[in-house]
Amino acid sequence: MEACMDFMNWLDLDMSEKLLMHLKDPSDLARVSSVSRSLRDFVIANGLFKQLCLRMFPQLSKVAHVMELNNCGVKEPVEVGSSHSMEWESLARDHRVYATLARVCTSFSLRDCISEAISASSTDNYPAETIDNTLLPAGIVSRRAYWSSKGQSNPAVPETLTYKLVSEFCVITEIYIRPFKAYFQRGSPIYSAKSVRFRMGHPKSPNDLGSHLLCDSLPSADDTFIWTYTSPEFPMAQESCLQKFRLPEPVLCIGGILQIELLGRVQTQEMDGLFYICISHVHVVGRCLSPAFVVENIQPSGTFVLKKDMRYKFHTQQSSPDNEAQEISDDQLQRRFRYLRNYLRNLNVIEIEEYEGEEEDVVEIEEYESGEEEYESGEEEDVEIEEYESGEEEDEA
Amino acid sequence: MSNTSENPKPSSSSAKMTLKTSDNELFEVEEAVAMKFCTVKQYFEDEKDSDVAARGSTTVIPLPNVHSAVLATLISYGKKLPQSNAVADNHEEEETKKKERKKYEQGLLKNLMPGELLDLISAANYLDFKEGLEFFNQALADHIQNKSVEYVRKFFGIKNDYEPHEEEKYREEYAWAFEGVDED
């Protein structure tokens, strides 16, 4: 087990950088940095933590610069010194910030990341079939718990559902969608789509969002948002189960906006012969990186400032900021509870009509808690779909 | 041991080169494999230019920095790589080859002492053997994965030049990195 060659020779030969770049776990790189002062300085000088983060999340190439907020929540004062020492200080800061970022991106708890719905490209029977229905607890299955697009005679017309996430800085790992099965219609048609794609980005102007929440549709989502990430296309199963779409790699969403693009309609409504898409539930799973990290000054080009808040203690056992998560999910839950309460109140007024359908028509409210790690085991009849480029693999239903 | 699928083209497969190691051993290698060592390739092309190529495949290329045991492993690994001049396989053949390669790689790594990895990386770097460098670097990185700081120090022979309080402070700041580490 003894080294046949002095490691210091390696440093000269630049081989150690190549070796260290093969370390994928931030803990390994952090431990290597504590092997010796020289090695730590080597890691800092070569920005190895930044490189590790960039490999995990290419979206970070848009970081204009990083900042640390000290215990007063203010930017750490920069010591005035020689240009060399300032450059070193900048590298050291990068080291601290990116090391912590790498850690949180891989360790914070997985949770539901949708804060609220923003808009749908079109909505039938607004507000009864609004996009907000997609955020009702997954267990609710009823006549009214779904979003529907407007009808189209051309099945190629796509639809989009746009959501705001719990923070402007989240790592997204997978998205769940359940198409709606209209059991009250003859044949119980399922209004799924052929395939689905996801986009992430930020609002063009921060003020745009406020007035558009929960309205029928935005004049054009493309005018309001700038998309910095587009996923590959995933085939959708023609089944009304909760379908899981796992992104090929976890993606950093900078700006807090996620859009689901539903491509290709498959189901016509008997009544009018038009193609519709209806979705009963949407769920986005990932890790919320705020308040430990905050992004600011997102430019149209996508560049932004990354701030690490040192008031947040990155303890060993802590995997997510418990208190903050409570606050956020309480807020979310309250809003949804109010919506649900109104929804149920309305239900009482509606007559229960006769229909040909299965038992699932009864409104069932399953236990639903945001922030729990239920996603590993899946919910109900999960269907996992592999991504495809058109024409290649088959879908696994 | 069947070679048939690896050298389908007659003209390039018969060209061989001789490499001489630091301990004076001679290795006869197919040109296609030797060309993956860019240092060798460069030497060979320089030779060609200087009209000495009349001697053809009997040129002996000296590798004073590489020991025979190390070269043997690198050549063996190089042979298993997809050959650039090979006939395109159908999907099934490709999958089989991939599986074979994976099995070979696992077997290779199992029989290597961790210390030998350092020699292999060093030699691959000298030979400018990109695929070998990539593979053995990853193997070494995998080896030190989750190992303690002490282990890494011992393995690479690195002296700890931290002041005690400095190291303490660093370990505190990055406490999350020190959980669940393998026993030495």
Side-chain angles (χ1 to χ4, degrees):
Chain A
M1 201 176 69
E2 282 180 24
C4 306
M5 119 177 313
D6 184 358
F7 195 72
M8 291 307 289
N9 283 345
W10 276 40
L11 290 181
D12 296 340
L13 293 172
D14 203 33
M15 279 197 291
S16 36
E17 183 179 350
K18 289 205 183 91
L19 169 65
L20 295 179
M21 275 173 52
H22 280 88
L23 291 173
K24 298 193 175 76
D25 189 336
S27 297
D28 286 329
L29 193 54
R31 273 198 311 280
V32 157
S33 305
S34 88
V35 162
S36 75
R37 192 200 275 163
S38 329
L39 207 37
R40 180 204 63 189
D41 289 352
F42 180 79
V43 171
I44 291 177
N46 290 283
L48 294 185
F49 261 119
K50 182 172 177 180
Q51 289 190 46
L52 174 63
C53 285
L54 278 167
R55 280 199 302 280
M56 288 200 289
F57 303 106
Q59 299 84 42
L60 289 170
S61 63
K62 295 287 193 177
V63 171
H65 61 268
V66 304
M67 257 205 255
E68 284 172 307
L69 302 177
N70 63 17
N71 290 324
C72 304
V74 195
K75 178 179 165 184
E76 276 277 271
V78 172
E79 281 173 27
V80 177
S82 69
S83 66
H84 169 79
S85 67
M86 282 185 64
E87 198 195 316
W88 180 258
E89 189 40 50
S90 167
L91 286 168
R93 184 167 46 245
D94 275 2
H95 176 85
R96 288 190 297 272
V97 171
Y98 285 106
T100 318
L101 183 61
R103 167 65 180 172
V104 308
C105 283
T106 50
S107 68
F108 274 6
S109 308
L110 290 172
R111 53 166 291 178
D112 174 22
C113 285
I114 294 185
S115 167
E116 53 204 353
I118 296 176
S119 73
S121 44
S122 77
T123 307
D124 202 18
N125 299 325
Y126 184 83
E129 293 171 7
T130 169
I131 182 181
D132 242 21
N133 291 337
T134 62
L135 300 181
L136 289 169
I140 289 197
V141 178
S142 92
R143 254 200 104 107
R144 292 273 178 253
Y146 63 92
W147 159 81
S148 171
S149 70
K150 283 207 182 333
Q152 294 281 346
S153 45
N154 176 7
V157 176
E159 294 283 342
T160 58
L161 296 171
T162 313
Y163 297 91
K164 180 164 178 255
L165 300 179
V166 291
S167 112
E168 288 189 331
F169 202 45
C170 297
V171 175
I172 304 298
T173 51
E174 54 221 16
I175 295 130
Y176 290 78
I177 302 177
R178 181 157 80 193
F180 180 68
K181 180 177 188 173
Y183 43 81
F184 49 83
Q185 291 181 345
R186 184 157 65 161
S188 298
I190 300 171
Y191 290 93
S192 180
K194 267 217 190 94
S195 61
V196 68
R197 190 166 53 193
F198 308 103
R199 290 193 209 274
M200 298 192 217
H202 57 272
K204 268 197 184 142
S205 145
N207 302 320
D208 273 348
L209 274 191
S211 51
H212 291 297
L213 290 180
L214 299 184
C215 81
D216 185 2
S217 63
L218 285 174
S220 163
D222 285 339
D223 286 344
T224 323
F225 304 109
I226 297 180
W227 305 115
T228 52
Y229 167 82
T230 304
S231 80
E233 215 175 292
F234 298 82
M236 273 191 89
Q238 307 311 307
E239 296 181 30
S240 66
C241 54
L242 196 64
Q243 300 177 28
K244 175 167 136 177
F245 301 95
R246 191 178 181 88
L247 297 177
E249 296 289 338
V251 174
L252 256 181
C253 175
I254 296 150
I257 309 292
L258 186 143
Q259 184 178 82
I260 299 176
E261 219 184 335
L262 298 154
L263 305 162
R265 299 159 193 254
V266 274
Q267 184 64 52
T268 52
Q269 184 171 232
E270 195 179 353
M271 202 178 76
D272 54 14
L274 296 175
F275 288 93
Y276 289 81
I277 303 178
C278 305
I279 301 293
S280 58
H281 189 71
V282 169
H283 208 63
V284 170
V285 174
R287 307 178 209 265
C288 172
L289 305 181
S290 302
F293 283 91
V294 168
V295 299
E296 273 182 21
N297 293 343
I298 305 177
Q299 300 298 311
S301 61
T303 58
F304 63 97
V305 174
L306 178 64
K307 289 187 182 173
K308 171 185 158 192
D309 194 336
M310 283 156 70
R311 286 173 298 180
Y312 177 76
K313 297 296 172 206
F314 300 93
H315 296 308
T316 54
Q317 294 305 321
Q318 196 170 16
S319 52
S320 91
D322 285 332
N323 295 337
E324 304 299 339
Q326 205 75 44
E327 260 177 57
I328 293 166
S329 63
D330 266 353
D331 194 37
Q332 267 175 273
L333 277 175
Q334 266 181 41
R335 225 173 298 146
R336 293 198 196 166
F337 175 71
R338 275 197 304 272
Y339 181 80
L340 184 56
R341 193 187 51 202
N342 294 335
Y343 168 91
L344 288 173
R345 233 185 247 149
N346 290 335
L347 265 192
N348 286 335
V349 172
I350 296 170
E351 275 181 35
I352 308 295
E353 297 166 292
E354 289 293 332
Y355 51 74
E356 292 147 59
E358 296 93 89
E359 290 299 309
E360 58 185 356
D361 313 319
V362 174
V363 174
E364 277 172 350
I365 303 177
E366 282 178 354
E367 194 174 43
Y368 181 76
E369 275 155 44
S370 56
E372 296 287 298
E373 285 179 322
E374 308 172 325
Y375 311 116
E376 299 308 307
S377 49
E379 294 176 26
E380 299 170 50
E381 321 121 342
D382 262 23
V383 172
E384 182 150 0
I385 314 249
E386 309 284 68
E387 59 146 309
Y388 76 66
E389 306 306 318
S390 50
E392 270 174 47
E393 302 157 11
E394 317 269 27
D395 37 300
E396 271 172 68
Chain B
M1 179 181 73
S2 152
N3 260 358
T4 48
S5 60
E6 289 184 10
N7 299 301
K9 293 274 184 268
S11 53
S12 54
S13 70
S14 58
K16 290 206 197 287
M17 310 178 62
T18 311
L19 307 176
K20 184 163 129 178
T21 63
S22 58
D23 49 331
N24 288 323
E25 274 209 39
L26 297 173
F27 283 80
E28 222 179 45
V29 190
E30 284 110 24
E31 190 175 302
V33 175
M35 288 293 122
K36 290 190 188 290
F37 306 156
C38 295
T39 310
V40 170
K41 183 173 174 200
Q42 191 60 51
Y43 186 100
F44 183 70
E45 280 168 3
D46 289 345
E47 286 284 296
K48 267 212 295 219
D49 289 345
S50 70
D51 255 343
V52 176
R55 278 187 262 143
S57 58
T58 55
T59 313
V60 175
I61 299 174
L63 303 172
N65 288 356
V66 187
H67 193 271
S68 55
V70 176
L71 187 61
T73 310
L74 289 178
I75 290 172
S76 166
Y77 181 75
K79 275 194 184 146
K80 286 289 184 178
L81 290 171
Q83 303 301 322
S84 46
N85 57 352
V87 170
D89 300 314
N90 64 34
H91 186 72
E92 221 180 271
E93 278 177 35
E94 220 180 277
E95 285 300 306
T96 324
K97 274 202 192 161
K98 246 192 213 165
K99 280 200 190 110
E100 270 179 33
R101 196 158 59 235
K102 255 244 119 72
K103 219 168 131 198
Y104 162 77
E105 283 171 3
Q106 279 167 356
L108 176 63
L109 292 178
K110 231 194 307 186
N111 292 328
L112 277 179
M113 296 296 292
E116 291 177 72
L117 282 172
L118 294 171
D119 292 331
L120 285 160
I121 292 172
S122 188
N125 190 54
Y126 169 75
L127 292 171
D128 197 3
F129 178 18
K130 292 186 180 49
E131 295 96 331
L133 204 54
E134 177 70 29
F135 178 72
F136 290 110
N137 261 326
Q138 185 60 60
L140 186 55
D142 289 344
H143 177 69
I144 61 175
Q145 189 184 32
N146 219 39
K147 293 287 196 298
S148 73
V149 172
E150 271 313 310
Y151 182 96
V152 174
R153 272 184 194 141
K154 247 200 272 198
F155 184 79
F156 290 106
I158 303 174
K159 182 165 169 277
N160 178 9
D161 57 356
Y162 268 116
E163 300 291 320
H165 70 273
E166 242 189 326
E167 189 181 343
E168 181 76 35
K169 190 165 162 246
Y170 190 90
R171 281 184 180 240
E172 236 180 73
E173 195 178 339
Y174 296 98
W176 47 263
F178 294 91
E179 298 166 34
V181 173
D182 289 347
E183 296 278 318
D184 279 351

